[in-house]
Amino acid sequence: MTVSIDEVLAELTLDEKAALTSGSGFWWTHAVERLGIPRIMLADGPHGLRAQPVQGDHVGIGGSLPATCFPTASAIASSWNPALLRSVGEALAQEARACNLSVILGPGINMKRSPLCGRNFEYFSEDPYLAGELAVGIVEGIQSKGVGTSVKHYAANNQETDRLRVDAQVDERSLREIYLPAFERVVTASQPWTVMCSYNKVNGLPASENRWLLTEVLREEWGFDGLVVSDWGAVYHRVPALDAGLDLEMPPKLGRSPQEVMAAVHAGELSEGLLDQRVRTVLELVSRGMHVLELDEEFDADAHHALARRAAAESVVLLQNTDEVLPLPAGASVALIGEFARTPRFQGAGSSQVNPTRVENLVDELSAAHADVRFAAGYGVGDTSNDAGLSDEAVSVARSADVVVIVLGLPGSYESEGFDRTHMRLPANQLDVLSAVAEANPSLVVVLVNGSTVEVDEVSRRAKALVEAWLGGQAAAGGIADVLTGRINPSGRLAETFPHRLEDSSSYLNFPGDSQVVRYGEGLYIGYRGYDKQRQDVAFPFGYGLSYTSFEMRDLAVSVSGDVADGTLTASVSVTVTNTGPVAGAHVVQAYIWDPESSVHRPVRELKGFVRVTLEPEQSTRVQLDLDQRAFSFWSERFGRWVVEAGEFVIEVGHHSRDLPLTATIEIGAPPLRPPLTADSTLHEWAADPIGRELLAEAAAEGAPDPLRDAELVEVVGTMPMSTLAAFGPMAPDYDTLDRLAAQWRERTDNPDPAARAAR
Ligand code: BGC
């Protein structure tokens, strides 16, 4: 565009405007050639590109250009390393530039509400703070190179079952504290070029038509200045969607949507001014992204593969290492078992499926790094007809070696975009081989490849070492070999809890819902928030992960500054970390908070800060984490805002959510919370409020009945509204007096009329 957006807007006809708010093909925006407005391309995402210049589809059926397949989100989230995500983001942007792609459709930052969600492999965590920080890393990495992102799927898209129709019924506090904060963080910190709305309904309205989500929260509260694009096919009613805040429908319903928009303008149902606003946002995106069309660049596939390998190694979580069976001793003979070692599963299926530039396998990579490796397939994936023979062979190879490494995992048919799992078990044929091999040689290392958590109790009982490698991308095998041999010291930490059993997960009773409705009955308590609140034992807790070295933390200090009243409260938490073991390694310092006395229910711990440090043996460092006011707040449904309550807060710092050896209790001062008193407030509420008590006493002095005169009676009738008590005769002031007292209360507390808030 050589002219300004204002000038273009003035020139556009109504049908051009209507067309611009829909795409022109599966991946392209609409071009207006006569005004020099080109089309730009948007394509998947999130852990590698799926650019389909010829034929578009949304589940990866058609071929796409070769691209580096980086570790999937579940994997790379385990790095707890936003800087690594930034580097991967920069590489993704370079690949986008090389194929003239302007916007990458990712990252996916939905919460892992249930272990069963088929797309969990595409999402970071069960914790919104961690997901938000990682999202900032990758978005800033991509956008620093002039390529846009699409943070998805906004919002409450936490299952695949009936994902286009299901109504996610979630209370506002759970949305604000669990399902929205990762979006809020990345929007306010990094202004992604686009946000993708989800398929599902949120509290009765499709996300694409949800004004509260798309306009009030996203734009008005968070200040989003980019474009809202629909998930592919998520627009059900074109005009209401446009009205609610959706700028761009993808892919377009050609021959239908633009016509509907024009008809609505002609009928006076949609103002042209509002349409102009949406068109302006589309033009701004095109103007941001069109420089990519001119580029003639390449990417360095070798360098990106090397980065994918480093990222894969950082994604590995060492869950168990009894008798220090890992790293593999240099002279040991190793039996490497499992079809997945030869035919790796390294990514998930669906719209995120990348056509990789190359793929490593563990047989080759471990053999290259270790002298004596003897392979046996052990089990079949898909075709299991020869399992008995494979198992016998695996047992004899296992007997012949000093150590056994067996790769187990979920076949692609177990988890994917498009459907949810129904259980968390590993395939039975793999568990059979595991038990046969464990009998033959107990010096056993299990490597898991899976996009979402599995039940691991049986595996961990049989294995000495347990290595969670996730779906680690095209270079996963190299990364795993690096960890097994000790070339790289594992530093991954779980971004999601491994429960013992599916039934322990708090969403179990309400997942995936039925009759097109899913109720988020567990509220805030997903992931460790649920397991911790219910004091459930888990297989491996959130934040957990071992290393080939050990770490200690000491000297926790917390200093509080700022003021709740003006939103500047900060708690600076510092702690000394020491590498107390024999080799260099990285550790993640994690800080959680708890408000032991609160007027509302709260989780017993919530992650509010973390930092990853790399230390040589015996090296120490002092790290500082700044927890801001939001870290101490909850979303008050009553007040419709974030609230910090005065009093004690506990800050726990340590190694993972269930090993937090350092604790400090701090006192936070905050303005008192004043739920507005009205005639319908209860006697207890009036009694709990100092000014309420004062007013009742004054009224009593003037001759009105004093409802506080008898403490025992107050206990019995205290939960009744004052207006009800007034009807009981001499138990409370009469209606007129109550109204007068409520008005006086508002004057003295400088509190607006509650009706004013209700009318917002
Ligand atoms: C997925 C999105 C994806 C889009 C385009 C949809 O089905 O939910 O994540 O970006 O297709 O492929």
Side-chain angles (χ1 to χ4, degrees):
M1 261 175 285
T2 46
V3 288
S4 75
I5 288 177
D6 282 331
E7 285 168 307
V8 172
L9 263 176
E11 289 292 318
L12 287 168
T13 61
L14 180 59
D15 55 345
E16 285 167 338
K17 289 179 187 174
L20 275 162
T21 60
S22 292
S24 65
F26 211 80
W27 304 117
W28 284 277
T29 61
H30 180 81
V32 184
E33 274 156 28
R34 71 176 186 96
L35 295 175
I37 303 166
R39 62 177 199 173
I40 61 167
M41 187 179 185
L42 304 86
D44 289 304
H47 48 265
L49 302 190
R50 186 172 67 93
Q52 298 180 305
V54 185
Q55 187 213 344
D57 65 72
H58 80 290
V59 285
I61 297 162
S64 53
L65 296 175
T68 310
C69 180
F70 290 96
T72 60
S74 303
I76 204 163
S78 309
S79 72
W80 290 54
N81 187 355
L84 175 67
L85 277 110
R86 193 184 169 97
S87 305
V88 168
E90 288 166 1
L92 288 171
Q94 190 51 49
E95 299 197 13
R97 292 170 69 97
C99 60
N100 308 105
L101 166 65
S102 299
V103 178
I104 299 174
L105 301 176
I109 58 173
N110 295 104
M111 289 293 102
K112 302 195 192 201
R113 174 174 177 249
S114 162
L116 299 180
C117 172
R119 278 185 105 169
N120 273 355
F121 73 90
E122 273 188 74
Y123 303 142
F124 289 129
S125 181
E126 66 191 24
D127 180 82
Y129 178 79
L130 178 58
E133 295 307 303
L134 298 173
V136 166
I138 194 158
V139 166
E140 291 192 349
I142 294 173
Q143 296 195 165
S144 71
K145 300 281 177 205
V147 172
T149 54
S150 196
V151 175
K152 65 190 188 183
H153 310 86
Y154 182 69
N157 180 182
N158 306 102
Q159 65 186 60
E160 292 300 282
T161 306
D162 218 351
R163 67 174 163 156
L164 275 82
R165 299 185 304 184
V166 73
D167 181 12
Q169 297 189 351
V170 204
D171 62 88
E172 183 172 357
R173 184 172 170 208
S174 302
L175 282 168
R176 297 281 190 169
E177 293 189 26
I178 303 294
Y179 295 101
L180 300 187
F183 290 96
E184 179 179 10
R185 171 77 178 127
V186 72
V187 164
T188 52
S190 323
Q191 283 290 359
W193 289 12
T194 80
V195 166
M196 185 192 290
C197 78
S198 56
Y199 284 125
N200 51 288
K201 297 188 184 79
V202 181
N203 292 326
L205 268 184
S208 62
E209 289 166 45
N210 201 312
R211 167 183 304 282
W212 181 77
L213 275 177
L214 304 188
T215 297
E216 292 176 27
V217 173
L218 181 62
R219 292 191 192 280
E220 294 170 7
E221 287 186 32
W222 301 344
F224 178 59
D225 66 9
L227 171 141
V228 178
V229 60
S230 67
D231 197 347
W232 264 234
V235 176
Y236 307 106
H237 304 101
R238 185 68 194 95
V239 175
L242 195 139
D243 193 44
L246 184 99
D247 299 297
L248 178 63
E249 174 198 42
M250 288 299 287
K253 292 196 182 90
L254 293 175
R256 191 165 142 193
S257 292
Q259 286 72 5
E260 284 179 10
V261 171
M262 285 192 293
V265 173
H266 288 311
E269 288 156 15
L270 177 69
S271 83
E272 197 163 348
L274 184 66
L275 177 61
D276 283 358
Q277 217 176 306
R278 304 285 176 252
V279 174
R280 176 183 293 281
T281 314
V282 174
L283 293 174
E284 281 167 358
L285 181 74
V286 173
S287 127
R288 266 172 155 178
M290 61 192 267
H291 72 102
V292 169
L293 302 172
E294 309 300 320
L295 301 175
D296 181 16
E297 294 183 3
E298 291 181 345
F299 70 91
D300 182 342
D302 292 337
H304 288 189
H305 185 77
L307 174 61
R309 179 170 178 147
R310 174 162 77 82
E314 272 197 40
S315 302
V316 169
V317 187
L318 180 62
L319 294 175
Q320 181 174 315
N321 195 13
T322 312
D323 301 335
E324 297 190 350
V325 65
L326 287 176
L328 297 168
S333 52
V334 175
L336 176 59
I337 293 168
E339 184 56 47
F340 281 136
R342 177 167 62 185
T343 313
R345 177 154 184 264
F346 58 94
Q347 65 172 330
S351 62
S352 68
Q353 193 165 322
V354 175
N355 173 15
T357 58
R358 73 190 73 160
V359 180
E360 293 177 354
N361 71 64
L362 195 55
V363 177
D364 292 347
E365 294 304 317
L366 196 58
S367 304
H370 190 85
D372 186 350
V373 176
R374 306 160 189 186
F375 173 71
Y379 56 82
V381 178
D383 176 9
T384 54
S385 55
N386 191 25
D387 270 13
L390 294 177
S391 177
D392 291 347
E393 184 200 359
V395 165
S396 87
V397 173
R399 277 213 184 94
S400 78
D402 297 323
V403 186
V404 180
V405 174
I406 180 165
V407 185
L408 306 177
L410 296 180
S413 59
Y414 274 55
E415 53 177 356
S416 167
E417 177 174 348
F419 61 88
D420 295 315
R421 287 187 298 172
T422 52
H423 63 80
M424 287 176 64
R425 294 185 297 277
L426 285 163
N429 66 328
Q430 295 187 23
L431 293 174
D432 289 347
V433 184
L434 173 73
S435 79
V437 165
E439 296 278 309
N441 187 341
S443 191
L444 184 65
V445 176
V446 174
V447 175
L448 291 173
V449 288
N450 45 304
S452 37
T453 50
V454 290
E455 289 177 1
V456 284
D457 286 358
E458 183 180 344
V459 179
S460 102
R461 235 186 350 263
R462 295 195 188 276
K464 290 225 158 160
L466 185 52
V467 175
E468 175 54 78
W470 303 109
L471 302 179
Q474 66 181 47
I480 296 168
D482 288 341
V483 167
L484 294 178
T485 56
R487 205 180 78 77
I488 290 185
N489 188 355
S491 59
R493 303 288 182 262
L494 293 180
E496 56 196 290
T497 309
F498 275 67
H500 287 297
R501 349 167 275 160
L502 172 65
E503 291 80 354
D504 294 344
S505 65
S506 61
S507 59
Y508 176 70
L509 294 176
N510 288 298
F511 185 94
D514 53 41
S515 313
Q516 298 175 27
V517 172
V518 54
R519 292 192 181 80
Y520 286 32
E522 71 288 350
L524 310 173
Y525 298 99
I526 64 166
Y528 68 91
R529 285 172 172 76
Y531 303 118
D532 288 1
K533 186 88 172 182
Q534 299 191 100
R535 299 172 67 170
Q536 273 165 324
D537 194 29
V538 297
F540 295 104
F542 177 78
Y544 176 84
L546 301 173
S547 163
Y548 296 148
T549 190
S550 49
F551 297 92
E552 271 175 26
M553 288 183 211
R554 64 187 150 82
D555 300 336
L556 171 66
V558 181
S559 75
V560 181
S561 60
D563 194 354
V564 170
D566 60 19
T568 56
L569 177 76
T570 306
S572 292
V573 176
S574 40
V575 67
T576 300
V577 200
T578 307
N579 180 346
T580 51
V583 288
H587 195 39
V588 180
V589 178
Q590 303 172 27
Y592 296 78
I593 72 110
W594 174 42
D595 182 0
E597 269 187 35
S598 169
S599 65
V600 295
H601 66 89
R602 292 189 74 164
V604 293
R605 72 179 50 84
E606 297 187 88
L607 181 75
K608 296 296 174 183
F610 67 90
V611 62
R612 189 173 183 277
V613 289
T614 302
L615 295 170
E616 295 298 318
E618 290 175 31
Q619 191 189 352
S620 292
T621 189
R622 187 109 185 123
V623 299
Q624 185 177 319
L625 302 164
D626 288 333
L627 312 187
D628 63 9
Q629 183 155 325
R630 177 63 69 81
F632 299 92
S633 311
F634 68 89
W635 178 264
S636 165
E637 299 251 7
R638 184 156 202 188
F639 291 90
R641 63 175 169 84
W642 293 99
V643 161
V644 179
E645 276 182 329
E648 285 186 348
F649 284 79
V650 177
I651 298 177
E652 298 176 297
V653 180
H655 309 283
H656 61 79
S657 62
R658 295 220 168 157
D659 182 8
L660 299 165
L662 304 179
T663 305
T665 301
I666 58 170
E667 184 73 30
I668 289 182
L673 278 182
R674 292 194 182 287
L677 290 185
T678 68
D680 293 332
S681 302
T682 66
L683 175 55
H684 276 158
E685 285 163 350
W686 277 82
D689 185 287
I691 294 175
R693 267 202 314 278
E694 195 177 285
L695 288 165
L696 289 177
E698 286 171 18
E702 289 163 10
D706 179 4
L708 299 176
R709 64 187 180 281
D710 178 342
E712 258 179 51
L713 196 63
V714 170
E715 278 311 303
V716 177
V717 299
T719 56
M720 290 194 174
M722 291 286 264
S723 51
T724 307
L725 291 177
F728 292 176
M731 292 181 79
D734 61 26
Y735 303 124
D736 289 343
T737 311
L738 283 176
D739 285 341
R740 179 172 54 80
L741 296 183
Q744 283 176 322
W745 183 91
R746 287 198 295 277
E747 273 161 34
R748 289 190 200 177
T749 56
D750 205 19
N751 230 332
D753 187 333
R757 180 175 131 64
R760 265 191 336 147

